[in-house]
Amino acid sequence: MIDIILYAFGVMYTPGPVNAICLNSGVQRQKAIVGFCLGVSAAMFTIFCIVSLVGERIVNQTLLQWTAILGGAYILWLAYKVFFSTVSSEMGANQQSLSTRDGFMLQMLNPKGLTVALPIATAQFPSAGITGGYIFVWCTILAILAFGAPLVYFVIGRLVGRNISQTGVLNLVNKLMALLLLFVGLNMAIRPVLELIRSCGLIMG
């Protein structure tokens, strides 16, 4: 069963849009991050439970395409919010703190969540004999693991931001993070949008 933990840890704790947003929040010295992490954890618990119960029957290419499109659109919206937020010298980060809803929605629309859940729920759980009520126990364990990933990146960001006192530098970090999120959002959404258009016969290729 240790292989389940190792695989989940390896995917959850690698850089991604959720972890990058938390890293930036730490650099900007925001104080409220626990709610966001709870939202991410709740989303992963929901994803693991759904995939465990229905498996590959609903997780098809079309669902992955639409998840990527909606996730990309949500990340582009976050990029807009981050780009036009400002940092004050008195408060550090004057931008709106990330909420539990933000964490839940972003993780639910993040294809990386399905990437973690699908092989674990459909292959590793059955091979390890995890069935019935034990599925929910393991979904809870993995959700707790998911809570720690953005929190770790937030702490790293705080350690980095502690050495940055000039608001101009913090604002520059905000702009760079927004551009990174813009790239991530476009990269996530463009390909499935083109595939969807092609499948509808609206473009040739």
CSV table of all heavy atoms in Angstrom, one decimal, residues 1-32:
chain,number,residue,atom,x,y,z
A,1,MET,N,0.8,-1.2,0.0
A,1,MET,CA,0.0,0.0,0.0
A,1,MET,C,0.8,1.3,0.0
A,1,MET,O,0.4,2.4,-0.3
A,1,MET,CB,-0.9,0.0,1.2
A,1,MET,CG,-2.0,-1.1,1.2
A,1,MET,SD,-3.1,-1.0,2.6
A,1,MET,CE,-4.1,-2.4,2.3
A,2,ILE,N,2.1,1.1,0.3
A,2,ILE,CA,3.0,2.3,0.3
A,2,ILE,C,3.1,2.9,-1.1
A,2,ILE,O,3.4,4.1,-1.2
A,2,ILE,CB,4.4,1.9,0.9
A,2,ILE,CG1,5.2,3.1,1.1
A,2,ILE,CG2,5.1,0.9,0.0
A,2,ILE,CD1,4.7,4.0,2.2
A,3,ASP,N,3.0,2.0,-2.1
A,3,ASP,CA,3.1,2.5,-3.5
A,3,ASP,C,2.0,3.5,-3.8
A,3,ASP,O,2.2,4.5,-4.6
A,3,ASP,CB,3.1,1.4,-4.5
A,3,ASP,CG,1.8,0.5,-4.4
A,3,ASP,OD1,1.3,0.4,-3.2
A,3,ASP,OD2,1.4,0.0,-5.4
A,4,ILE,N,0.8,3.4,-3.1
A,4,ILE,CA,-0.3,4.4,-3.3
A,4,ILE,C,0.1,5.7,-2.8
A,4,ILE,O,-0.1,6.8,-3.4
A,4,ILE,CB,-1.6,3.9,-2.6
A,4,ILE,CG1,-2.0,2.6,-3.2
A,4,ILE,CG2,-2.7,4.9,-2.7
A,4,ILE,CD1,-3.2,1.9,-2.5
A,5,ILE,N,0.7,5.7,-1.6
A,5,ILE,CA,1.1,7.0,-1.0
A,5,ILE,C,2.2,7.6,-1.8
A,5,ILE,O,2.2,8.8,-2.0
A,5,ILE,CB,1.6,6.7,0.5
A,5,ILE,CG1,0.5,6.1,1.3
A,5,ILE,CG2,2.2,8.0,1.1
A,5,ILE,CD1,-0.6,7.1,1.6
A,6,LEU,N,3.2,6.8,-2.2
A,6,LEU,CA,4.3,7.4,-3.0
A,6,LEU,C,3.9,8.0,-4.3
A,6,LEU,O,4.3,9.0,-4.7
A,6,LEU,CB,5.4,6.3,-3.2
A,6,LEU,CG,6.1,5.7,-2.0
A,6,LEU,CD1,7.0,4.6,-2.4
A,6,LEU,CD2,6.9,6.9,-1.3
A,7,TYR,N,3.0,7.3,-5.0
A,7,TYR,CA,2.5,7.8,-6.3
A,7,TYR,C,1.7,9.1,-6.0
A,7,TYR,O,1.9,10.1,-6.7
A,7,TYR,CB,1.6,6.8,-7.0
A,7,TYR,CG,0.9,7.4,-8.2
A,7,TYR,CD1,1.7,7.5,-9.4
A,7,TYR,CD2,-0.4,7.8,-8.2
A,7,TYR,CE1,1.1,8.0,-10.5
A,7,TYR,CE2,-1.0,8.3,-9.3
A,7,TYR,CZ,-0.3,8.4,-10.5
A,7,TYR,OH,-0.8,9.0,-11.6
A,8,ALA,N,0.8,9.1,-5.0
A,8,ALA,CA,0.0,10.3,-4.8
A,8,ALA,C,0.9,11.5,-4.3
A,8,ALA,O,0.7,12.6,-4.8
A,8,ALA,CB,-1.0,10.0,-3.7
A,9,PHE,N,1.9,11.2,-3.5
A,9,PHE,CA,2.8,12.2,-3.1
A,9,PHE,C,3.6,12.8,-4.2
A,9,PHE,O,3.8,14.0,-4.4
A,9,PHE,CB,3.8,11.6,-2.0
A,9,PHE,CG,4.8,12.6,-1.5
A,9,PHE,CD1,4.4,13.4,-0.4
A,9,PHE,CD2,6.0,12.8,-2.0
A,9,PHE,CE1,5.3,14.4,0.2
A,9,PHE,CE2,6.9,13.7,-1.5
A,9,PHE,CZ,6.5,14.5,-0.4
A,10,GLY,N,4.1,11.9,-5.1
A,10,GLY,CA,4.9,12.3,-6.3
A,10,GLY,C,4.1,13.2,-7.2
A,10,GLY,O,4.7,14.2,-7.7
A,11,VAL,N,2.8,13.0,-7.4
A,11,VAL,CA,2.1,13.8,-8.3
A,11,VAL,C,1.6,15.1,-7.6
A,11,VAL,O,1.6,16.2,-8.2
A,11,VAL,CB,0.9,13.0,-8.9
A,11,VAL,CG1,0.0,13.9,-9.8
A,11,VAL,CG2,1.4,11.8,-9.6
A,12,MET,N,1.1,14.9,-6.4
A,12,MET,CA,0.5,16.1,-5.7
A,12,MET,C,1.5,17.2,-5.4
A,12,MET,O,1.2,18.4,-5.4
A,12,MET,CB,-0.2,15.6,-4.4
A,12,MET,CG,-1.5,14.8,-4.6
A,12,MET,SD,-2.1,14.3,-3.0
A,12,MET,CE,-3.5,13.3,-3.5
A,13,TYR,N,2.7,16.7,-5.0
A,13,TYR,CA,3.7,17.7,-4.5
A,13,TYR,C,4.6,18.2,-5.6
A,13,TYR,O,5.6,19.0,-5.3
A,13,TYR,CB,4.5,17.1,-3.4
A,13,TYR,CG,3.7,17.0,-2.1
A,13,TYR,CD1,2.7,16.1,-1.9
A,13,TYR,CD2,4.0,17.9,-1.0
A,13,TYR,CE1,2.0,16.0,-0.7
A,13,TYR,CE2,3.3,17.8,0.1
A,13,TYR,CZ,2.3,16.9,0.3
A,13,TYR,OH,1.5,16.9,1.5
A,14,THR,N,4.4,17.9,-6.8
A,14,THR,CA,5.1,18.5,-8.0
A,14,THR,C,4.5,19.8,-8.3
A,14,THR,O,3.3,20.0,-8.1
A,14,THR,CB,5.2,17.5,-9.2
A,14,THR,OG1,3.8,17.2,-9.5
A,14,THR,CG2,6.0,16.3,-8.9
A,15,PRO,N,5.2,20.7,-9.0
A,15,PRO,CA,4.7,22.0,-9.3
A,15,PRO,C,3.4,21.9,-10.2
A,15,PRO,O,3.4,21.1,-11.1
A,15,PRO,CB,5.8,22.7,-10.0
A,15,PRO,CG,7.0,22.1,-9.5
A,15,PRO,CD,6.7,20.6,-9.3
A,16,GLY,N,2.5,22.7,-10.0
A,16,GLY,CA,1.2,22.8,-10.8
A,16,GLY,C,0.5,24.1,-10.5
A,16,GLY,O,1.0,24.9,-9.7
A,17,PRO,N,-0.6,24.3,-11.1
A,17,PRO,CA,-1.2,25.6,-10.9
A,17,PRO,C,-1.6,25.9,-9.5
A,17,PRO,O,-1.5,27.0,-9.0
A,17,PRO,CB,-2.5,25.6,-11.9
A,17,PRO,CG,-2.7,24.1,-12.2
A,17,PRO,CD,-1.3,23.5,-12.1
A,18,VAL,N,-2.2,24.9,-8.8
A,18,VAL,CA,-2.6,25.1,-7.4
A,18,VAL,C,-1.4,25.4,-6.5
A,18,VAL,O,-1.4,26.4,-5.7
A,18,VAL,CB,-3.3,23.9,-6.9
A,18,VAL,CG1,-3.7,24.0,-5.4
A,18,VAL,CG2,-4.6,23.6,-7.7
A,19,ASN,N,-0.3,24.6,-6.6
A,19,ASN,CA,0.9,24.8,-5.8
A,19,ASN,C,1.5,26.1,-6.2
A,19,ASN,O,2.1,26.8,-5.3
A,19,ASN,CB,1.8,23.7,-6.0
A,19,ASN,CG,1.3,22.4,-5.4
A,19,ASN,OD1,0.5,22.4,-4.5
A,19,ASN,ND2,1.8,21.2,-5.9
A,20,ALA,N,1.5,26.5,-7.4
A,20,ALA,CA,2.1,27.8,-7.9
A,20,ALA,C,1.4,29.0,-7.3
A,20,ALA,O,2.0,30.0,-6.8
A,20,ALA,CB,2.1,27.9,-9.4
A,21,ILE,N,0.1,28.9,-7.2
A,21,ILE,CA,-0.7,30.0,-6.6
A,21,ILE,C,-0.4,30.1,-5.1
A,21,ILE,O,-0.3,31.2,-4.6
A,21,ILE,CB,-2.2,29.7,-6.8
A,21,ILE,CG1,-2.6,29.9,-8.3
A,21,ILE,CG2,-3.1,30.6,-6.0
A,21,ILE,CD1,-4.0,29.4,-8.7
A,22,CYS,N,-0.3,29.0,-4.4
A,22,CYS,CA,0.1,29.0,-3.0
A,22,CYS,C,1.5,29.6,-2.8
A,22,CYS,O,1.7,30.3,-1.8
A,22,CYS,CB,-0.1,27.7,-2.4
A,22,CYS,SG,-1.8,27.2,-2.1
A,23,LEU,N,2.4,29.2,-3.7
A,23,LEU,CA,3.7,29.8,-3.6
A,23,LEU,C,3.7,31.3,-3.7
A,23,LEU,O,4.4,32.0,-2.9
A,23,LEU,CB,4.6,29.2,-4.7
A,23,LEU,CG,6.1,29.6,-4.7
A,23,LEU,CD1,6.8,29.1,-3.5
A,23,LEU,CD2,6.7,29.2,-6.0
A,24,ASN,N,3.0,31.8,-4.6
A,24,ASN,CA,2.8,33.2,-4.8
A,24,ASN,C,2.2,33.9,-3.5
A,24,ASN,O,2.6,35.0,-3.1
A,24,ASN,CB,2.1,33.6,-6.0
A,24,ASN,CG,2.0,35.1,-6.3
A,24,ASN,OD1,3.0,35.7,-6.4
A,24,ASN,ND2,0.8,35.6,-6.3
A,25,SER,N,1.1,33.2,-3.0
A,25,SER,CA,0.5,33.7,-1.8
A,25,SER,C,1.4,33.8,-0.6
A,25,SER,O,1.4,34.8,0.2
A,25,SER,CB,-0.7,32.8,-1.4
A,25,SER,OG,-1.7,32.9,-2.5
A,26,GLY,N,2.3,32.9,-0.5
A,26,GLY,CA,3.3,32.9,0.5
A,26,GLY,C,4.3,34.1,0.3
A,26,GLY,O,4.7,34.8,1.3
A,27,VAL,N,4.8,34.3,-0.9
A,27,VAL,CA,5.7,35.4,-1.2
A,27,VAL,C,5.0,36.7,-0.9
A,27,VAL,O,5.7,37.6,-0.4
A,27,VAL,CB,6.1,35.3,-2.7
A,27,VAL,CG1,6.9,36.6,-3.1
A,27,VAL,CG2,6.9,34.1,-3.0
A,28,GLN,N,3.7,36.8,-1.2
A,28,GLN,CA,3.0,38.1,-0.9
A,28,GLN,C,2.6,38.2,0.5
A,28,GLN,O,1.9,39.2,0.9
A,28,GLN,CB,1.7,38.1,-1.8
A,28,GLN,CG,2.0,38.0,-3.3
A,28,GLN,CD,2.9,39.0,-3.9
A,28,GLN,OE1,2.9,40.1,-3.3
A,28,GLN,NE2,3.6,38.7,-4.9
A,29,ARG,N,3.0,37.2,1.4
A,29,ARG,CA,2.8,37.3,2.8
A,29,ARG,C,1.3,37.3,3.2
A,29,ARG,O,0.9,38.0,4.2
A,29,ARG,CB,3.5,38.5,3.4
A,29,ARG,CG,5.0,38.4,3.3
A,29,ARG,CD,5.7,39.4,4.2
A,29,ARG,NE,5.6,40.7,3.8
A,29,ARG,CZ,6.3,41.4,2.9
A,29,ARG,NH1,7.4,40.7,2.3
A,29,ARG,NH2,6.1,42.6,2.6
A,30,GLN,N,0.5,36.6,2.4
A,30,GLN,CA,-0.9,36.5,2.8
A,30,GLN,C,-1.0,35.6,4.1
A,30,GLN,O,-0.2,34.7,4.3
A,30,GLN,CB,-1.8,35.9,1.7
A,30,GLN,CG,-1.9,36.8,0.5
A,30,GLN,CD,-2.9,36.3,-0.5
A,30,GLN,OE1,-3.6,35.3,-0.3
A,30,GLN,NE2,-2.9,36.9,-1.7
A,31,LYS,N,-2.0,35.8,4.9
A,31,LYS,CA,-2.1,35.1,6.2
A,31,LYS,C,-3.1,34.0,6.1
A,31,LYS,O,-3.0,33.0,6.8
A,31,LYS,CB,-2.5,36.0,7.3
A,31,LYS,CG,-1.4,37.1,7.6
A,31,LYS,CD,-1.8,38.0,8.7
A,31,LYS,CE,-0.7,39.0,9.0
A,31,LYS,NZ,-1.0,39.9,10.1
A,32,ALA,N,-4.2,34.1,5.3
A,32,ALA,CA,-5.3,33.2,5.2
A,32,ALA,C,-5.0,32.2,4.0
A,32,ALA,O,-5.2,32.5,2.9
A,32,ALA,CB,-6.6,33.9,5.0
